[in-house]
Amino acid sequence: MPTPLTCYVGRSTGLTMARLEATASALAAGTAAGTPAGTPAGAGRTGVPEADAVQAGKPVQVAVPLLEPKLLLPRLHQPLVERSRLLARLDTALEHKLTVLTAPAGFGKTTLVRQWIAGRRARGNLPPVAWVSLDAGDNDPVRFWRYVITACQAWPADGARSALTLLSAAAQPPFGPSPVETVLTAFLNALTHGGQGGILVLEDYHVISAPAVHKTLAFFLDHLPAPLHLVILSRQDPPLPLARLRARGDLCEVHGADLRFSPAETRAFLQQTMAVPLATLSPETADHLETRLEGWAAGLRLLAVALQGSPQAIGPSLATLACSHRQVLDYFVTEVLDAQPEPLQHFLLQTSFLGRLTGSLCDAVLDRQGSEMLLDALERAGLFLERLDGPELWYRYHALFAEAMSAEAHRRLGSPALQALSSRASRWYEQQGMVAEAIEAALAAGDMVRAAGLVEQRIGNQFFGRMQEFHTLRRWLEQVPAAVMQSHPALCLGYAIAVATGNAPEPPTPAAMALMEGLLQTAEDGWRARGNTARLGEVFAFRALAAHRLEKQAQAVALARQALVWLPEEERTWRAISLTVVAADDLQEGRLDSARRTLLEVRALWEAAGNRHGRRSGMVLLGAVYFGQGELHLATEHCRQALTEAREVGDGDDIGPTQLGLAQILYEWNELEAAGQAAQEAYDLGVQLAYPRLQVQAALMLVRVQHAQGQTRLAQQRLAALMAQVLPQREPQLYREVLAGQAQLLLALGDRSAAARCLTLLAGLGPPRHGHAELLAARLLLAEGRAEAALDTLRCQLAAAQAAGRTRSALEIQLLMARAQVACQHVQAARELLQTVLSLVHTEGYVRLFLDEGAGMAALLRSTLPGLRERPLTSYVRNVLSAFVAEPEQAAGQPFPSDLSGLIEPLSPQEQRVLRLLATGLSNPELARELVVSVNTVKAHVKSIYRKLNVNNRREAAEALRHLPAL
């Protein structure tokens, strides 16, 4: 198995790059510009708590401002028909997790829920309500959850504010997993501890098509605390696990058939809106209403607008009102739009493309004054304009009406005129600091140069520090022509980074890689032409990251080193990334002294930036280095601090590898139960996060723990499953680690031939990393009785390990050398080597370092004990010898030789097992079945036992066993 804690190499990139990149994303870039003077109240950003949450030394991400009207409840039209049967149904729905209202446009979904909220509020039994009106731009998972969590600030608990701050500081890294699930975990934990109720309404969920959003919402639903309730309004069933929720009794459904007005509700509506006496409606007219409209709420409202106080025209109006989608849109134009004065028609057509309207926005788009009064008049007239709740005057058109007006606007006004209107809207949005809306409007206007400039303004010079919503960025830049992109090398780099997030954490597809390379080449050409080496450094740093992700280490390091030449000292983000690529290579190749120096520099960069994520990643990586250099206590300090911080924010991408690192430290201290628990949590997180490297390395750690606990059969089964799971073609480095783990376990079990086959396979995989395969080869030589050859190999390895600062490896090598010296009958040399190791490790508390060398090491320790003069050393050795006594083999009555004269070459742990079973009279086939090995392997063990004990048959071997004294 790999040297412990060099196993902590991050998500598929070979290091903790996922977290490093996320920490890079959170690098402080200052606060965004405030709302310009003269901005109407409510026109700019919402009360997002980023700025409030900033404390000294805790900079947060500069997020795209949210459009506050999307979080406001639509106002109710008065008077309203009392729909008691449906309101009662929504009351009972609160007993479930989820209510879904599914119906085509115009069936009154929003009005019903709004009416229900108003009624409960009037009765004083309404939990706090969070409302989000969704649109197509919310298919970016980060944006979606920023809106949702911001809306949930209406709930009394502080969970929303802390989660929003966390989301603002945890943008998705290129090649790495989305931070959304981590943020949702922290959010749900806070809501659970808050214990208070609340209702979240997601309106128009049918506009959401991104699988990532559906996946995270399903996760949110699965873990939603009992006092909270989610309401979804959609035109079709949302792609969520509805069948599972239905089976659990967690779902209430309201469909179009439920929402249709009953005949009594239809009559009440007409009486309220047109003052039509019920007696004046003939039975034929009432039947005609029911047949023609089938209780369709929007149809009734259309009818009311078309009649405009002439109830006697109900019959003729119904004749022209059809219910197909296309015919309804036409009806809006012919019977509603054309009935308005010409100036009002122009206003409706020219503002129909706006998702949310306010007076100053309409004035800017139409180049006129007085739009606020006109909007108020339209709303009062019931012309399908809804005012939103809140102190500011924001409105929206009814969805069907907006669709009809927009189609008619294209027909009457033409694309050039509409693009000019969008261009004016873009400038208004920009003046209000609403950059995302300004970009969308510029794209709609076809002004790609302006759109590109706005996007570049948005991301600024420090891309990671100024951008969160990579899905949105990619959608924007996909629309910008290549000719325009060539003038914006920063956007080419940004686009490449956005592409890198597309399939994360899966590797980019070949098509995505080709697109990224083209964009990076364009960016490089642009910066070279301008002589801007600092920005060239950014391109090369990202290329280094991409090469590292593909495990092209030599290329990654060369690119990173060139980036460091070009990047200015003040460019902390890209320098930290480049330095970490270099440190990753040092760590993987076992150059620990070099890795330590580089990582200290990386940590200094993050600390200078006040960046907690980067500092945490640095702590864990330095912990890996400290462990490899034999400093267990320093490694533990770094890992525990990082784990505490990672748990505070629910960051599984750091919790898993940190727990793996702690498991390896605990294993060295022989705290096997705690080591197993930590490794198991790391493994579970690897499965949950789809993180193969963490899964495999945690499983290897569990194999070591189980074998040390005497659960060898379970260890073998787990290792066999790993061998079947990890394919050499797909994960060559992981396959190497599993193969090394297999060889090490086989050697511990005394199966030299199988171990030799594993080592042959390892040799065929290319040059080994920092001598681990050579160390296994030396163990095999020692097991085969070729101690002199083993010593020659070990001396070379010791020099290399010491030169690179691999103290932990050097300690293991010296213990093997001591065993080899014993085998060569150089007992005094062995004791001297052992004393050297003891003087280095006793303050760190190593135990398994000795236990894993088997019974011969116990005998060597015991024989060395009388020569020790320092009390701390003698106390330490006695503690280690006590640990030998407590080993599982000891508990089963296994004897150990008491001195080296009677047994110069100790029995291996497997040979000791064979000897005990041999004494019971089992045949070779019975021994093979008991030990789960071949008969030939049993014969080899028996032959080796006879040689070491200097006996010739089973009877003599059993007698020798009886006379071997225990420690």
Side-chain angles (χ1 to χ4, degrees):
M1 274 161 267
T3 301
L5 255 166
T6 59
C7 287
Y8 182 71
V9 286
R11 174 182 296 274
S12 318
T13 59
L15 185 65
T16 93
M17 295 303 296
R19 290 313 311 152
L20 171 75
E21 295 147 15
T23 60
S25 303
L27 182 65
T31 55
T35 305
T39 300
R45 71 178 68 224
T46 66
V48 180
E50 282 96 340
D52 297 337
V54 175
Q55 302 174 15
K58 294 183 181 180
V60 296
Q61 179 89 7
V62 179
V64 178
L66 301 181
L67 185 61
E68 185 171 353
K70 285 163 57 74
L71 307 179
L72 300 177
L73 281 70
R75 285 198 172 187
L76 286 171
H77 292 279
Q78 297 296 338
L80 286 171
V81 174
E82 181 70 20
R83 312 197 71 186
S84 303
R85 58 188 175 88
L86 293 174
L87 297 176
R89 190 165 175 180
L90 292 180
D91 283 336
T92 60
L94 286 177
E95 300 170 5
H96 309 281
K97 275 189 176 184
L98 173 65
T99 296
V100 176
L101 288 87
T102 308
F107 270 73
K109 301 183 291 294
T110 298
T111 301
L112 174 65
V113 173
R114 189 64 186 85
Q115 184 181 8
W116 173 65
I117 289 172
R120 291 191 68 100
R121 180 174 290 157
R123 298 194 301 271
N125 62 349
L126 177 72
V129 175
W131 186 289
V132 183
S133 297
L134 299 166
D135 56 44
D138 298 322
N139 278 285
D140 187 308
V142 174
R143 177 181 290 195
F144 176 90
W145 285 105
R146 283 184 64 225
Y147 270 111
V148 170
I149 296 173
T150 300
C152 290
Q153 289 181 100
W155 299 345
D158 293 332
R161 293 180 62 82
S162 58
L164 189 60
T165 302
L166 177 60
L167 184 60
S168 299
Q172 180 173 354
F175 308 114
S178 170
V180 168
E181 257 188 41
T182 296
V183 172
L184 289 183
T185 298
F187 183 40
L188 288 163
N189 287 342
L191 293 177
T192 300
H193 296 149
Q196 300 185 26
I199 298 170
L200 170 63
V201 181
L202 299 180
E203 184 186 19
D204 292 336
Y205 191 80
H206 54 270
V207 302
I208 301 299
S209 58
V213 175
H214 300 316
K215 178 183 175 184
T216 52
L217 185 61
F219 173 83
F220 181 76
L221 258 174
D222 281 343
H223 301 90
L224 192 67
L228 304 175
H229 186 74
L230 175 62
V231 178
I232 290 179
L233 313 182
S234 178
R235 294 184 187 178
Q236 64 263 341
D237 281 344
L240 298 170
L242 299 183
R244 186 173 74 222
L245 291 164
R246 208 176 280 124
R248 293 177 179 174
D250 286 335
L251 176 63
C252 174
E253 297 174 274
V254 179
H255 297 290
D258 305 307
L259 290 166
R260 294 184 185 279
F261 274 54
S262 67
E265 289 170 337
T266 298
R267 295 187 182 199
F269 175 86
L270 293 176
Q271 185 174 25
Q272 289 177 1
T273 55
M274 296 185 297
V276 177
L278 296 180
T280 64
L281 282 178
S282 65
E284 294 78 9
T285 300
D287 290 343
H288 196 188
L289 272 171
E290 178 63 23
T291 302
R292 195 69 171 160
L293 297 181
E294 296 181 331
W296 182 42
L300 286 169
R301 190 172 168 192
L302 267 172
L303 182 64
V305 172
L307 293 174
Q308 295 185 351
S310 303
Q312 64 275 13
I314 286 180
S317 296
L318 280 173
T320 59
L321 179 56
C323 291
S324 75
H325 187 77
R326 179 68 260 169
Q327 290 169 321
V328 167
L329 298 184
D330 290 343
Y331 190 90
F332 270 121
V333 174
T334 58
E335 301 296 331
V336 179
L337 177 65
D338 289 347
Q340 309 308 318
E342 189 170 336
L344 183 54
Q345 290 186 36
H346 284 298
F347 182 88
L348 294 171
L349 294 172
Q350 291 174 327
T351 59
S352 60
F353 71 95
L354 297 171
R356 303 292 184 278
L357 304 87
T358 193
S360 60
L361 171 58
C362 294
D363 284 346
V365 169
L366 301 178
D367 193 18
R368 55 162 288 172
Q369 298 296 318
S371 296
E372 187 172 316
M373 295 177 61
L374 186 53
L375 287 168
D376 181 63
L378 282 171
E379 194 264 340
R380 291 178 184 277
L383 272 179
F384 299 93
L385 183 73
E386 302 170 342
R387 181 178 170 183
L388 303 176
D389 255 355
E392 316 306 335
L393 298 178
W394 280 93
Y395 303 83
R396 68 178 184 182
Y397 288 118
H398 187 282
L400 272 177
F401 186 72
E403 185 179 344
M405 294 302 101
S406 181
E408 187 66 10
H410 276 87
R411 189 181 72 81
R412 293 191 189 184
L413 306 179
S415 294
L418 291 176
Q419 287 178 338
L421 295 170
S422 293
S423 182
R424 292 176 190 167
S426 176
R427 285 175 168 76
W428 184 89
Y429 287 130
E430 183 185 11
Q431 290 169 3
Q432 316 312 315
M434 302 165 70
V435 182
E437 286 72 24
I439 294 169
E440 299 281 5
L443 291 169
D447 191 345
M448 298 305 174
V449 173
R450 172 176 169 75
L454 286 167
V455 176
E456 192 163 31
Q457 169 191 327
R458 170 68 200 104
I459 66 177
N461 289 332
Q462 292 194 7
F463 184 86
F464 280 123
R466 297 188 65 87
M467 193 65 202
Q468 281 187 314
E469 299 168 5
F470 286 107
H471 292 267
T472 298
L473 177 67
R474 182 171 183 175
R475 179 173 58 82
W476 286 340
L477 295 182
E478 282 174 342
Q479 302 175 61
V480 178
V484 176
M485 291 290 290
Q486 287 177 353
S487 302
H488 296 273
L491 293 190
C492 294
L493 174 59
Y495 192 178
I497 294 174
V499 171
T501 68
N503 296 322
E506 294 299 317
T509 63
M513 288 299 300
L515 175 59
M516 286 167 53
E517 182 50 42
L519 290 165
L520 292 172
Q521 190 60 53
T522 302
E524 180 182 342
D525 293 343
W527 293 129
R528 284 191 187 277
R530 302 179 191 190
N532 193 331
T533 55
R535 301 308 297 271
L536 267 176
E538 296 179 14
V539 175
F540 272 61
F542 180 70
R543 276 185 165 153
L545 192 61
H548 187 73
R549 173 69 172 83
L550 298 173
E551 297 190 0
K552 298 178 179 179
Q553 280 304 104
Q555 180 184 351
V557 172
L559 288 165
R561 292 192 186 280
Q562 181 58 66
L564 289 167
V565 171
W566 284 331
L567 290 167
E569 292 297 324
E570 60 271 18
E571 177 44 72
R572 297 183 182 124
T573 300
W574 290 112
R575 287 192 68 84
I577 287 174
S578 300
L579 284 168
T580 307
V581 170
V582 173
D585 186 60
D586 286 337
L587 189 58
Q588 290 180 355
E589 297 300 328
R591 298 184 292 267
L592 298 190
D593 284 340
S594 178
R596 183 171 186 156
R597 289 191 298 270
T598 305
L599 287 170
L600 287 171
E601 186 177 351
V602 170
R603 186 177 68 177
L605 286 171
W606 295 131
E607 288 181 346
N611 186 288
R612 295 183 64 189
H613 290 289
R615 189 168 57 86
R616 183 166 74 240
S617 292
M619 280 191 295
V620 180
L621 289 172
L622 279 169
V625 173
Y626 294 144
F627 185 95
Q629 295 191 315
E631 301 177 57
L632 297 189
H633 294 298
L634 196 54
T636 304
E637 178 185 334
H638 280 67
C639 287
R640 289 200 187 283
Q641 187 175 347
L643 181 63
T644 299
E645 293 187 10
R647 288 204 190 280
E648 286 175 359
V649 296
D651 188 349
D653 279 303
D654 267 354
I655 293 172
T658 307
Q659 280 289 66
L660 176 59
L662 285 170
Q664 292 161 338
I665 296 169
L666 292 165
Y667 178 85
E668 285 293 349
W669 286 336
N670 203 32
E671 298 179 22
L672 298 181
E673 191 67 31
Q677 291 171 1
Q680 187 63 54
E681 182 179 358
Y683 179 83
D684 293 341
L685 281 167
V687 174
Q688 177 185 324
L689 299 171
Y691 191 165
R693 183 174 295 276
L694 181 59
Q695 290 179 49
V696 170
Q697 292 172 342
L700 287 172
M701 190 67 244
L702 286 168
V703 167
R704 300 184 73 190
V705 171
Q706 288 173 330
H707 176 57
Q709 290 174 325
Q711 302 172 11
T712 301
R713 183 166 296 181
L714 288 177
Q716 289 175 307
Q717 291 171 351
R718 186 181 293 274
L719 202 46
L722 275 179
M723 290 295 293
Q725 171 189 342
V726 180
L727 303 178
Q729 307 91 329
R730 189 177 61 191
E731 292 283 357
Q733 181 52 37
L734 287 182
Y735 180 72
R736 179 191 292 276
E737 293 177 16
V738 174
L739 202 56
Q742 176 84 310
Q744 187 156 326
L745 182 60
L746 289 168
L747 283 170
L749 297 176
D751 194 339
R752 297 194 300 271
S753 58
R757 289 194 296 272
C758 286
L759 291 177
T760 301
L761 288 173
L762 271 175
L765 296 176
R769 283 182 171 171
H770 50 81
H772 187 62
E774 287 97 330
L775 192 60
L776 289 172
R779 287 186 176 278
L780 179 61
L781 289 171
L782 195 56
E784 291 173 340
R786 299 162 62 189
E788 290 288 357
L791 271 174
D792 291 340
T793 299
L794 290 167
R795 289 189 184 103
C796 294
Q797 291 181 48
L798 179 61
Q802 290 174 334
R806 298 197 304 271
T807 306
R808 169 61 180 75
S809 293
L811 295 172
E812 184 178 350
I813 290 167
Q814 289 176 92
L815 288 185
L816 277 177
M817 290 175 68
R819 286 182 53 197
Q821 293 284 16
V822 169
C824 294
Q825 300 191 18
H826 302 152
V827 176
Q828 185 56 37
R831 288 171 177 156
E832 290 172 0
L833 272 171
L834 182 57
Q835 288 184 35
T836 299
V837 173
L838 290 170
S839 67
L840 294 172
V841 304
H842 73 281
T843 57
E844 296 295 338
Y846 281 93
V847 177
R848 293 261 26 130
L849 181 69
F850 301 96
L851 296 186
D852 288 346
E853 297 302 328
M857 183 54 61
L860 183 57
L861 279 168
R862 188 173 181 84
S863 73
T864 304
L865 186 59
L868 301 178
R869 295 292 177 262
E870 300 177 25
R871 180 170 296 179
L873 273 181
T874 58
S875 176
Y876 172 64
V877 171
R878 292 185 188 280
N879 287 336
V880 174
L881 288 171
S882 297
F884 269 105
V885 174
E887 283 286 87
E889 290 86 356
Q890 301 284 66
Q894 176 193 357
F896 283 91
S898 59
D899 64 27
L900 299 178
S901 59
L903 187 59
I904 293 297
E905 186 177 354
L907 298 176
S908 72
Q910 183 73 337
E911 288 169 344
Q912 294 165 24
R913 296 187 187 97
V914 172
L915 179 57
R916 289 199 304 272
L917 293 172
L918 199 68
T920 65
L922 293 179
S923 66
N924 284 352
E926 290 170 335
L927 283 170
R929 284 194 295 273
E930 180 68 21
L931 296 170
V932 197
V933 296
S934 68
V935 173
N936 287 336
T937 298
V938 170
K939 290 178 179 178
H941 285 321
V942 171
K943 183 177 179 181
S944 179
I945 290 168
Y946 287 179
R947 176 179 58 80
K948 291 181 179 181
L949 296 178
N950 194 25
V951 298
N952 297 310
N953 53 49
R954 291 180 174 229
R955 182 183 59 77
E956 292 176 356
E959 184 67 12
L961 171 64
R962 190 171 65 83
H963 291 292
L964 283 174
L967 283 172

